[in-house]
């Protein structure tokens, strides 16, 4: 494979070697992230986080296991994108709980007017 000759440079801490190693996969990485998060900027964030994680954990990649660097890197991208979706969903849930709408107030007032058996009280 062509990507294997960059490993000694990249593993030695060379950012130039790492850049040459990941450069051919960046477009695909962005596409994968975008398909998961459905947001341009979040997809960029996911790829950036994946690049940082791949750079930090390059020593754990073992080409003898039979996986290509591309597959290993795309797995990291996928996990970072899924984490961003989870964070986005958590934020959305907490924001909706904090900001009551008119519908929430109507439901609350209906609950208050009903007795413990679910029947509305006669007032």
């Amino acid at each position: 494979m062509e990507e294997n000759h960059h490993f000694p440079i990249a593993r030695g801490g060379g950012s130039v070697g790492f850049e040459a190693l990941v450069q051919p996969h960046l477009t695909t990485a962005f596409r994968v992230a975008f398909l998961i998060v459905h947001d341009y900027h979040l997809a960029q964030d996911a790829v950036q986080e994946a690049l940082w994680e791949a750079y930090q954990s390059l020593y754990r990649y073992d080409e003898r296991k039979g996986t290509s660097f591309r597959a290993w890197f795309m797995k990291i991208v996928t996990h970072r994108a899924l984490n961003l979706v989870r964070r986005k969903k958590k934020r959305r849930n907490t924001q909706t709980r904090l900001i009551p709408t008119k519908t929430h107030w109507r439901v609350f007032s209906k609950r208050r007017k009903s007795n413990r058996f679910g029947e509305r009280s006669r007032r």
Side-chain angles (χ1 to χ4, degrees):
M1 290 183 156
E2 178 144 339
E3 58 193 28
N4 287 340
H5 75 282
H6 294 291
F7 275 114
I9 299 168
R11 283 193 173 151
S15 59
V16 175
F18 181 74
E19 183 180 351
L21 183 64
V22 297
Q23 188 65 39
H25 310 294
L26 288 179
T27 305
T28 308
F30 178 78
R31 285 182 189 153
V32 166
F34 185 78
L35 286 172
I36 294 171
V37 298
H38 302 288
D39 184 288
Y40 182 83
H41 299 289
L42 285 178
Q44 285 181 330
D45 290 346
V47 172
Q48 185 175 2
E49 288 179 16
L51 284 167
W52 178 249
E53 185 176 341
Y55 185 74
Q56 293 294 314
S57 60
L58 192 60
Y59 67 93
R60 285 190 272 157
Y61 172 72
D62 188 11
E63 64 262 8
R64 292 173 290 168
K65 289 184 179 178
T67 354
S68 67
F69 175 78
R70 180 184 181 281
W72 180 75
F73 181 58
M74 291 307 146
K75 186 175 181 181
I76 294 173
V77 170
T78 302
H79 286 279
R80 292 307 123 233
L82 289 172
N83 285 345
L84 284 176
V85 167
R86 288 183 196 118
R87 276 189 249 155
K88 183 179 172 184
K89 190 183 289 187
K90 257 186 200 177
R91 261 188 257 132
R92 191 178 329 135
N93 287 342
T94 57
Q95 286 175 355
T96 56
R97 277 189 245 138
L98 294 176
I99 304 170
T101 60
K102 290 181 182 180
T103 311
H104 288 98
W105 290 113
R106 278 189 226 131
V107 170
F108 178 72
S109 64
K110 285 180 184 176
R111 284 186 189 158
R112 251 185 28 186
K113 291 178 184 175
S114 63
N115 62 17
R116 64 186 175 126
F117 299 109
E119 300 168 354
R120 293 193 66 133
S121 58
R122 298 178 195 166
R123 290 189 193 186

